[in-house]
Amino acid sequence: MAGRIECFQDLHYLAESFSLPSQESDQEFLYTSFTHIDADDHAYFGCIDKPKLQIPLEEYSRALQLISDEEIYPLFHDSESDTKQPLSAAPDDLNLAIAGAAGLKGIYIKRPPIGNYDWYKEEDCLEIIPATLLEEATALQQISQHPQHPNIVKSYGCRTRRGRITGLMMSKYEENLRELLKKGKAVNKERILKGLESSVRHLHSLGLAHNDINPSNVMMVDEASGEPVLVDFGSCHKIGDKLTASGGTPGWTEDGDDYTHSKVSNDTSALDKIRAWLENPTFE
């Protein structure tokens, strides 16, 4: 079985890597890494020591190596023990083009983080990849047992193939808060903060903390409404539980905290940082 790249859109992930420089001018190109996921969710990883624009599509295809399901996709039916309700499978005929709600651009499929597959394998910690996907599936399942909150992304369940979870299906939005402000667009700061505070209160009332609130994890319904939607629940855990496969984002965590456990203060501190950032946004 071999992956086939017909156009750059067939690449799920594409990135160039450089050495860590003492000065910006000292950067040395290392390699281009990329991934491909086919229509039946078979995943491939490739690496070539050329800049991405110098690589023909045929060479991308030849370099792809199949990743075994066991390395990146958690089992579906064996993943029910940590949830009060069994994990829900998304319908196979779910329309990926039309979600039928204002502001939605379709359905977003969140995949396991295989962009750094080579690093995880080299460090002998491949188990982190399926664990990260399973933890987010568990959190979204717990949230979905309650009425849908307008400022929390809607989950449609797990995409399953060959008895494994290959992705998480949820509402799709075009831009996050960071991207919108970087383009110089105006936003309603009060509405954003009000919506985020409401979503966080809802999570905390369920006994959960998000633990990774930052402007990149705040999607915007559309520019007209200015309504925020909190996404990325890979770090979401029951309050008091140990953070495992994933944690917060540097710069948006609670100052002076070791960030090892799920806590209310992880979220409230991040909201304070966003409140200050909205007054003077930076994009480093």
Side-chain angles (χ1 to χ4, degrees), residues 177 180-181 185-194 220 223-228 278:
L177 179 59
L180 203 63
L181 289 183
K185 301 292 183 65
V187 297
N188 188 324
K189 300 174 186 177
E190 291 184 5
R191 176 166 290 180
I192 289 170
L193 292 170
K194 183 179 179 180
M220 304 302 296
E223 289 186 53
S225 71
E227 200 68 32
L278 283 171

Short mmCIF file of all heavy atoms in Angstrom, two decimals, residues 177 180-181 185-194 220 223-228 278:
data_model
loop_
_atom_site.label_atom_id
_atom_site.label_comp_id
_atom_site.label_asym_id
_atom_site.label_seq_id
_atom_site.Cartn_x
_atom_site.Cartn_y
_atom_site.Cartn_z
N LEU A 177 -8.82 33.79 16.99
CA LEU A 177 -8.70 35.17 17.47
C LEU A 177 -7.33 35.76 17.14
O LEU A 177 -7.23 36.92 16.75
CB LEU A 177 -8.94 35.18 18.99
CG LEU A 177 -8.83 36.53 19.70
CD1 LEU A 177 -9.82 37.53 19.13
CD2 LEU A 177 -9.05 36.34 21.20
N LEU A 180 -7.17 36.67 13.41
CA LEU A 180 -8.02 37.81 13.08
C LEU A 180 -7.34 39.12 13.47
O LEU A 180 -7.29 40.08 12.67
CB LEU A 180 -9.36 37.68 13.81
CG LEU A 180 -10.54 38.45 13.22
CD1 LEU A 180 -10.87 37.94 11.83
CD2 LEU A 180 -11.75 38.33 14.12
N LEU A 181 -6.77 39.18 14.67
CA LEU A 181 -6.12 40.42 15.12
C LEU A 181 -4.81 40.66 14.37
O LEU A 181 -4.44 41.81 14.15
CB LEU A 181 -5.88 40.37 16.62
CG LEU A 181 -7.13 40.46 17.49
CD1 LEU A 181 -6.78 40.47 18.96
CD2 LEU A 181 -7.93 41.73 17.16
N LYS A 185 -7.87 43.18 11.97
CA LYS A 185 -9.33 43.27 12.04
C LYS A 185 -9.78 43.73 13.43
O LYS A 185 -9.15 43.39 14.44
CB LYS A 185 -9.97 41.92 11.71
CG LYS A 185 -9.62 41.38 10.34
CD LYS A 185 -10.24 42.22 9.24
CE LYS A 185 -9.97 41.65 7.86
NZ LYS A 185 -10.62 40.36 7.64
N ALA A 186 -10.85 44.48 13.47
CA ALA A 186 -11.41 44.93 14.75
C ALA A 186 -12.28 43.84 15.35
O ALA A 186 -12.95 43.10 14.63
CB ALA A 186 -12.23 46.20 14.54
N VAL A 187 -12.27 43.71 16.67
CA VAL A 187 -13.10 42.72 17.36
C VAL A 187 -13.79 43.39 18.54
O VAL A 187 -13.36 44.43 19.03
CB VAL A 187 -12.27 41.53 17.86
CG1 VAL A 187 -11.63 40.77 16.71
CG2 VAL A 187 -11.20 41.99 18.85
N ASN A 188 -14.88 42.79 18.96
CA ASN A 188 -15.60 43.26 20.14
C ASN A 188 -15.00 42.59 21.36
O ASN A 188 -15.32 41.44 21.68
CB ASN A 188 -17.09 42.92 20.00
CG ASN A 188 -17.93 43.54 21.10
OD1 ASN A 188 -17.49 43.65 22.25
ND2 ASN A 188 -19.15 43.94 20.77
N LYS A 189 -14.10 43.29 22.03
CA LYS A 189 -13.37 42.69 23.15
C LYS A 189 -14.30 42.24 24.27
O LYS A 189 -14.12 41.17 24.85
CB LYS A 189 -12.34 43.69 23.69
CG LYS A 189 -11.31 44.13 22.67
CD LYS A 189 -10.42 45.22 23.23
CE LYS A 189 -9.48 45.78 22.16
NZ LYS A 189 -8.66 46.90 22.69
N GLU A 190 -15.30 43.07 24.56
CA GLU A 190 -16.22 42.73 25.65
C GLU A 190 -16.98 41.45 25.32
O GLU A 190 -17.19 40.60 26.20
CB GLU A 190 -17.18 43.89 25.90
CG GLU A 190 -16.53 45.12 26.51
CD GLU A 190 -17.54 46.20 26.84
OE1 GLU A 190 -18.76 45.96 26.67
OE2 GLU A 190 -17.11 47.28 27.26
N ARG A 191 -17.41 41.30 24.07
CA ARG A 191 -18.17 40.10 23.70
C ARG A 191 -17.27 38.86 23.76
O ARG A 191 -17.71 37.80 24.19
CB ARG A 191 -18.74 40.26 22.29
CG ARG A 191 -19.46 39.03 21.78
CD ARG A 191 -20.29 39.33 20.57
NE ARG A 191 -21.44 40.16 20.91
CZ ARG A 191 -22.35 40.57 20.02
NH1 ARG A 191 -22.25 40.21 18.75
NH2 ARG A 191 -23.36 41.32 20.40
N ILE A 192 -16.04 39.01 23.33
CA ILE A 192 -15.11 37.88 23.38
C ILE A 192 -14.89 37.43 24.82
O ILE A 192 -14.99 36.24 25.14
CB ILE A 192 -13.77 38.27 22.71
CG1 ILE A 192 -13.95 38.39 21.20
CG2 ILE A 192 -12.68 37.23 23.04
CD1 ILE A 192 -12.78 38.99 20.49
N LEU A 193 -14.60 38.37 25.70
CA LEU A 193 -14.35 38.02 27.09
C LEU A 193 -15.59 37.46 27.76
O LEU A 193 -15.51 36.49 28.52
CB LEU A 193 -13.83 39.24 27.85
CG LEU A 193 -12.43 39.72 27.45
CD1 LEU A 193 -12.12 41.06 28.08
CD2 LEU A 193 -11.38 38.69 27.85
N LYS A 194 -16.74 38.03 27.45
CA LYS A 194 -17.99 37.53 28.02
C LYS A 194 -18.26 36.09 27.59
O LYS A 194 -18.64 35.24 28.39
CB LYS A 194 -19.16 38.43 27.61
CG LYS A 194 -20.50 38.02 28.22
CD LYS A 194 -21.61 38.97 27.78
CE LYS A 194 -22.96 38.55 28.36
NZ LYS A 194 -24.05 39.48 27.93
N MET A 220 -13.46 32.20 15.91
CA MET A 220 -14.49 33.22 15.79
C MET A 220 -15.60 32.71 14.88
O MET A 220 -15.33 32.22 13.78
CB MET A 220 -13.89 34.50 15.23
CG MET A 220 -12.71 35.05 16.02
SD MET A 220 -13.11 35.38 17.77
CE MET A 220 -14.32 36.69 17.56
N GLU A 223 -16.99 37.47 11.63
CA GLU A 223 -16.65 38.85 12.01
C GLU A 223 -17.89 39.63 12.43
O GLU A 223 -17.82 40.50 13.32
CB GLU A 223 -15.96 39.56 10.86
CG GLU A 223 -14.55 39.06 10.58
CD GLU A 223 -13.86 39.90 9.53
OE1 GLU A 223 -13.82 41.14 9.70
OE2 GLU A 223 -13.37 39.32 8.54
N ALA A 224 -19.01 39.34 11.81
CA ALA A 224 -20.23 40.11 12.10
C ALA A 224 -20.70 39.90 13.54
O ALA A 224 -21.02 40.85 14.24
CB ALA A 224 -21.33 39.72 11.11
N SER A 225 -20.75 38.65 13.97
CA SER A 225 -21.25 38.39 15.32
C SER A 225 -20.19 38.65 16.38
O SER A 225 -20.50 39.06 17.50
CB SER A 225 -21.71 36.93 15.44
OG SER A 225 -20.61 36.04 15.42
N GLY A 226 -18.92 38.42 16.04
CA GLY A 226 -17.86 38.60 17.02
C GLY A 226 -17.90 37.60 18.14
O GLY A 226 -17.27 37.79 19.18
N GLU A 227 -18.62 36.49 17.94
CA GLU A 227 -18.82 35.51 19.00
C GLU A 227 -17.65 34.51 19.03
O GLU A 227 -17.30 33.94 18.00
CB GLU A 227 -20.14 34.77 18.79
CG GLU A 227 -20.69 34.10 20.02
CD GLU A 227 -21.16 35.09 21.08
OE1 GLU A 227 -21.63 36.19 20.71
OE2 GLU A 227 -21.07 34.75 22.26
N PRO A 228 -17.04 34.28 20.20
CA PRO A 228 -15.92 33.34 20.29
C PRO A 228 -16.40 31.91 20.55
O PRO A 228 -17.46 31.69 21.12
CB PRO A 228 -15.15 33.87 21.50
CG PRO A 228 -16.22 34.40 22.41
CD PRO A 228 -17.28 34.98 21.49
N LEU A 278 -5.56 41.47 24.69
CA LEU A 278 -6.47 42.15 23.78
C LEU A 278 -6.25 43.65 23.74
O LEU A 278 -6.54 44.31 22.75
CB LEU A 278 -7.93 41.85 24.19
CG LEU A 278 -8.47 40.47 23.82
CD1 LEU A 278 -9.83 40.24 24.48
CD2 LEU A 278 -8.60 40.34 22.31
#
